[in-house]
Amino acid sequence: MKNRDGEGGNIAGYLDYLDSVRGVSPRTMSAYGRDLRHFAAYCANHDILPEKATPPQVRGFIADLSAEGTASVSVNRALSSIRGFYRWLLRFGRRSDDPASSLRNVSVPKTLPAFLWEGEMAQFSRLPDTAGILWPQRDKALILVMYSAGLRISELTSLATRDMEADFSGAVITGKGNRQRQVFFLDEAREALRAYLPLRQDRIKAERPTDKVFISGKGAPLSIPGARWIISKYAQRLGPGKNIHPHSLRHSFATHLVNSGCDVRVVQELLGHASISTTQRYTHVDIERLRNVYTKAHPHGGQRK
């Protein structure tokens, strides 16, 4: 069995299992690998093997992460990585108990996801027409497809022409955990695709053909960093006060649906969330909007301190 960066056999075996059997995405593999390497280093400093750690020792590692100022989300991800590792050991008879079973996630401060209101989103989607930068036809199609379908950036860059409906009304997306879902494109997105795709075809090199919808100016499939960079260049045109990143378009999509009265379970399906609790945070966005409107409109609202 191949080894990964000098890790112990059991951790390497678990990562191989995630890669070859579970089909975990490269990004998730990288995160789990970092977490488990960190845990293995902690165990080595305490003269124990990761597969032999006791509940207090696992708890000590998590406590150290928190004491070092590690973000709550990152602590919980590390805990998830460790839980998965011990479940794997249990499943294949390499351990008879789970030392992480009694540990609970640390609390995460509740923050509203960054998003654009409907008018702001309309303004953002028009920026490629007026900014005069990069590749306007591609960038407008990219922004509108990502927003109108609520795509993750990895889903956007992996979108292939074969995934789309012939009339560009939607596509079948393969998301996290290789789960497939149907998404739909707004009329504006369909028009943007029709304007962009002939130009895309002209830039694809005969010796390096690709079926990816979004490509670079040189005709290669657009990478995740490349897509992030494009969004960031247009986000700068919005001015200060807006921390917009690619995931903000997905947040905007979900927020606008919830605000329009769409059932949260329908939004869950469109986003490809495995858990309804992940989707329900967008109902809090709506409540916060109502609170702000109420505070501004109420005759005594401005007196709040």
Side-chain angles (χ1 to χ4, degrees):
M1 185 172 287
K2 61 184 178 182
N3 201 314
R4 293 176 184 265
D5 301 327
E7 297 157 358
N10 275 316
I11 285 180
Y14 174 58
L15 293 175
D16 282 338
Y17 167 77
L18 291 179
D19 187 18
S20 59
V21 178
R22 294 287 302 277
V24 171
S25 71
R27 187 175 181 181
T28 302
M29 284 290 300
S30 177
Y32 281 12
R34 284 195 304 273
D35 291 337
L36 291 172
R37 279 192 290 273
H38 195 176
F39 180 54
Y42 171 88
C43 290
N45 288 337
H46 290 77
D47 295 321
I48 55 173
L49 293 172
E51 54 269 29
K52 301 292 185 182
T54 64
Q57 289 164 337
V58 177
R59 191 178 300 112
F61 171 68
I62 297 301
D64 277 8
L65 289 180
S66 297
E68 291 166 2
T70 305
S72 299
V73 171
S74 298
V75 173
N76 289 337
R77 191 202 61 217
L79 189 50
S80 176
S81 302
I82 292 170
R83 286 191 187 111
F85 172 59
Y86 286 118
R87 283 196 298 266
W88 177 77
L89 290 175
L90 275 170
R91 179 177 179 181
F92 291 96
R94 302 184 184 188
R95 182 159 180 145
S96 59
D97 66 314
D98 181 355
S101 62
S102 63
L103 297 181
R104 298 291 176 263
N105 283 1
V106 299
S107 60
V108 178
K110 290 185 177 180
T111 57
L112 297 177
F115 63 94
L116 294 165
W117 293 117
E118 287 85 342
E120 294 172 327
M121 189 64 233
Q123 176 191 356
F124 188 69
S125 67
R126 289 193 296 267
L127 282 176
D129 294 330
T130 59
I133 61 175
L134 308 181
W135 184 354
Q137 296 87 351
R138 177 202 60 191
D139 302 342
K140 185 169 187 175
L142 182 153
I143 289 170
L144 285 169
V145 164
M146 193 171 188
Y147 163 66
S148 68
L151 301 184
R152 301 177 177 94
I153 192 168
S154 58
E155 296 168 348
L156 177 86
T157 55
S158 62
L159 180 65
T161 53
R162 65 177 181 274
D163 300 326
M164 297 198 300
E165 302 288 348
D167 62 353
F168 308 130
S169 60
V172 175
I173 299 297
T174 302
K176 287 185 176 180
N178 287 323
R179 293 189 298 270
Q180 289 192 327
R181 70 184 190 277
Q182 177 72 47
V183 299
F184 308 97
F185 300 145
L186 297 169
D187 288 344
E188 286 181 288
R190 295 169 68 181
E191 292 171 9
L193 282 168
R194 290 193 180 100
Y196 158 65
L197 288 174
L199 302 177
R200 165 193 173 276
Q201 194 58 40
D202 291 341
R203 296 203 186 191
I204 292 176
K205 303 293 190 294
E207 66 275 13
R208 289 187 303 160
T210 178
D211 67 347
K212 294 295 183 285
V213 173
F214 293 103
I215 62 172
S216 69
K218 295 182 179 180
L222 190 64
S223 66
I224 289 177
R228 282 202 186 99
W229 184 78
I230 291 168
I231 296 295
S232 71
K233 296 301 286 186
Y234 288 103
Q236 292 169 12
R237 300 299 175 109
L238 286 176
K242 280 290 180 182
N243 181 27
I244 299 304
H245 47 80
H247 220 60
S248 299
L249 304 189
R250 180 170 159 90
H251 292 325
S252 301
F253 163 82
T255 301
H256 299 168
L257 287 179
V258 170
N259 287 353
S260 299
C262 187
D263 185 274
V264 70
R265 293 199 176 275
V266 174
V267 180
Q268 176 191 6
E269 182 69 22
L270 291 171
L271 288 171
H273 284 159
S275 170
I276 189 68
S277 62
T278 308
T279 315
Q280 284 174 330
R281 62 179 169 170
Y282 295 104
T283 62
H284 300 305
V285 173
D286 195 27
I287 291 169
E288 187 65 22
R289 182 189 197 188
L290 290 174
R291 190 193 312 279
N292 290 336
V293 171
Y294 166 80
T295 302
K296 291 177 181 178
H298 196 281
H300 298 288
Q303 298 176 16
R304 291 190 173 189
K305 301 296 183 183

